[in-house]
Amino acid sequence: MMRTVFMGSDAIALPLLNWLADEARATATLMVVYTQPDRAVGRGQKVQPNAIKLWAQSRGLPVHQPEKLIPEELDQLKAYQPDLVLIMAYGHILRQDFIATPRLGTLNLHTSLLPKYRGASPIQTAIACGDRQTGVTLMKIVPALDAGPIADVESVTIEALDTALEVEGKLSRACIPLLARSLPKL
């Protein structure tokens, strides 16, 4: 069973986290969640946790919310002795020492069919370009942005009237079969 760390800050990862916690337990044990610090949101600018933190707390998982990934954070990560780190929409670029910590590697779930649409808004870009297909790419993390070797992809169809939110939901769910077939290969 792989000792797994998840790093992410966007609700797009919630179906994946539910699957990891409920159905993938024979393959992976979720040890801890890293997410962005609580931020001011909305009209009143009230500081609130993101959906990932709320999910982790509801499951009784430890949550780390570093503003920056400083050496003390690396020590904390190493203390979990992770076999695998999974990242999706985290918001931090990891240094090589963080990437190299897990025994089996650090993998990212990116919401495009790389190498197409690298960067921060691949869903909106695919729709704006009139693409009829997009997907989630599982890739090994390297120090450059969205540049690591691709392990596998899961494609989804973009219907003519799909909104970015609808495509995001499809991509969110597409992570599950992608990891279901990829994790056992690790």
Side-chain angles (χ1 to χ4, degrees):
M1 193 163 357
M2 289 180 281
R3 296 172 57 86
T4 305
V5 171
F6 179 78
M7 295 179 164
S9 300
D10 192 284
I12 192 171
L14 291 175
L16 165 67
L17 287 170
N18 284 324
W19 177 79
L20 279 171
D22 297 335
E23 298 176 43
R25 285 185 288 190
T27 306
T29 300
L30 197 54
M31 306 299 299
V32 62
V33 169
Y34 282 73
T35 192
Q36 289 284 331
D38 298 349
R39 303 271 190 230
V41 296
R43 201 174 257 180
Q45 290 296 288
K46 183 178 177 187
V47 175
Q48 295 183 1
N50 65 47
I52 301 302
K53 178 181 180 180
L54 293 172
W55 180 89
Q57 288 176 326
S58 76
R59 296 292 184 127
L61 289 168
V63 177
H64 294 276
Q65 295 182 274
E67 190 67 53
K68 292 185 178 182
L69 294 172
I70 57 176
E72 291 80 11
E73 295 296 336
L74 179 59
D75 293 341
Q76 282 184 333
L77 178 62
K78 286 179 178 179
Y80 289 104
Q81 300 176 333
D83 296 311
L84 175 68
V85 171
L86 283 176
I87 301 172
M88 186 172 194
Y90 182 37
H92 283 300
I93 295 176
L94 302 182
R95 294 188 329 255
Q96 181 59 36
D97 49 358
F98 280 85
I99 294 168
T101 296
R103 180 177 65 85
L104 297 174
T106 300
L107 301 177
N108 182 45
L109 291 151
H110 183 77
T111 54
S112 80
L113 296 174
L114 290 174
K116 221 174 182 182
Y117 311 134
R118 298 180 191 277
S121 59
I123 298 169
Q124 295 80 357
T125 303
I127 293 170
C129 289
D131 290 3
R132 290 291 157 235
Q133 188 174 34
T134 189
V136 178
T137 299
L138 180 65
M139 59 187 285
K140 185 176 180 182
I141 292 285
V142 298
L145 182 64
D146 299 334
I150 294 171
D152 199 358
V153 298
E154 181 74 17
S155 297
V156 301
T157 301
I158 302 174
E159 301 295 337
L161 298 177
D162 277 351
T163 65
L165 192 58
E166 290 164 331
V167 174
E168 182 179 293
K170 291 178 184 183
L171 293 168
S172 182
R173 294 182 298 276
C175 293
I176 296 168
L178 176 60
L179 283 179
R181 69 175 174 262
S182 298
L183 287 182
K185 295 176 185 176
L186 292 175

